Amino acid sequence: MINDGVQLAAGSSTDDVIAVLNELIGSYNITLPLSDNSTLTYAELSNATIIWILLAGFLVFFMHAGFSMLEAGSVRHKNAVNIMFKNIGTIAIGAICYYVFGFAFAYGTANSSESSSGFIGSGFYGLRDLSAGDRHNWFFQFTFAATGATIVSGAVAGRVQLAGYFIIASWMTSFVYPVVSHWIWS
């Protein structure tokens, strides 16, 4: 039994508990006192969370520049432009693949009555049916998926053809990273 007579059945899912808590929190005028005697409302705290997640995503995104410089310094001079193109291509291909399939495999569910399987998620393909308030999570997760592919880029720098690497990058951002993140965080 939770405040205001809201009950959860035995065996309720985590999503049910979170939905009830969000409903309860949203129904009260909750404020957080700050050290300067001002307050922070629940809505402002939610906006601050979104800003923080986006900022963290930007920082991870900028790691690609560092990886590019590291990779360019570890190959012969004639391959430096190829490395830069490969890293920009990784971001572009990673964004498209994670947008179309990756986020769905990581965090999607089949529909409201069924949850995703233990192996892989489904739903949210192309971010369809994802609320506008949750799209920042896509960006944050995309940056990590693309970073994972960029790390592989450094391992194979100068050792694999460009087309072959792009196939690997699309596989990693659309399937490998999403499935693992589904197992751990979904």
Side-chain angles (χ1 to χ4, degrees):
M1 183 86 157
I2 297 180
N3 291 342
D4 293 343
V6 176
Q7 290 185 336
L8 291 172
S12 295
S13 72
T14 305
D15 292 336
D16 295 336
V17 173
I18 290 171
V20 167
L21 289 175
N22 280 334
E23 181 180 321
L24 290 173
I25 290 170
S27 66
Y28 295 106
N29 187 11
I30 293 181
T31 57
L32 211 61
L34 301 176
S35 61
D36 63 353
N37 293 329
S38 62
T39 58
L40 186 65
T41 65
Y42 178 72
E44 291 168 334
L45 186 60
S46 179
N47 289 337
T49 301
I50 291 171
I51 290 169
W52 175 251
I53 289 173
L54 288 174
L55 177 64
F58 296 147
L59 292 173
V60 173
F61 188 81
F62 284 124
M63 289 172 62
H64 292 279
F67 286 137
S68 295
M69 297 299 126
L70 178 66
E71 289 177 43
S74 67
V75 297
R76 291 187 291 179
H77 179 49
K78 69 177 189 167
N79 294 332
V81 173
N82 185 27
I83 292 295
M84 296 300 173
F85 178 74
K86 186 169 62 168
N87 280 295
I88 290 175
T90 299
I91 294 168
I93 289 171
I96 292 167
C97 290
Y98 201 74
Y99 174 81
V100 175
F101 297 111
F103 192 79
F105 290 164
Y107 298 101
T109 57
N111 58 41
S112 60
S113 64
E114 297 177 24
S115 64
S116 61
S117 70
F119 179 70
I120 195 169
S122 64
F124 297 144
Y125 293 102
L127 303 184
R128 181 176 291 143
D129 299 328
L130 185 67
S131 70
D134 290 331
R135 299 217 172 180
H136 62 281
N137 290 325
W138 172 85
F139 175 76
F140 182 73
Q141 291 300 323
F142 145 71
T143 60
F144 280 100
T147 299
T150 303
I151 291 170
V152 171
S153 169
V156 300
R159 296 178 184 91
V160 68
Q161 289 184 349
L162 188 63
Y165 169 73
F166 283 158
I167 291 170
I168 292 168
S170 63
W171 174 251
M172 285 197 61
T173 56
S174 63
F175 189 75
V176 175
Y177 178 85
V179 169
V180 173
S181 65
H182 177 76
W183 292 346
I184 296 170
W185 293 296
S186 181

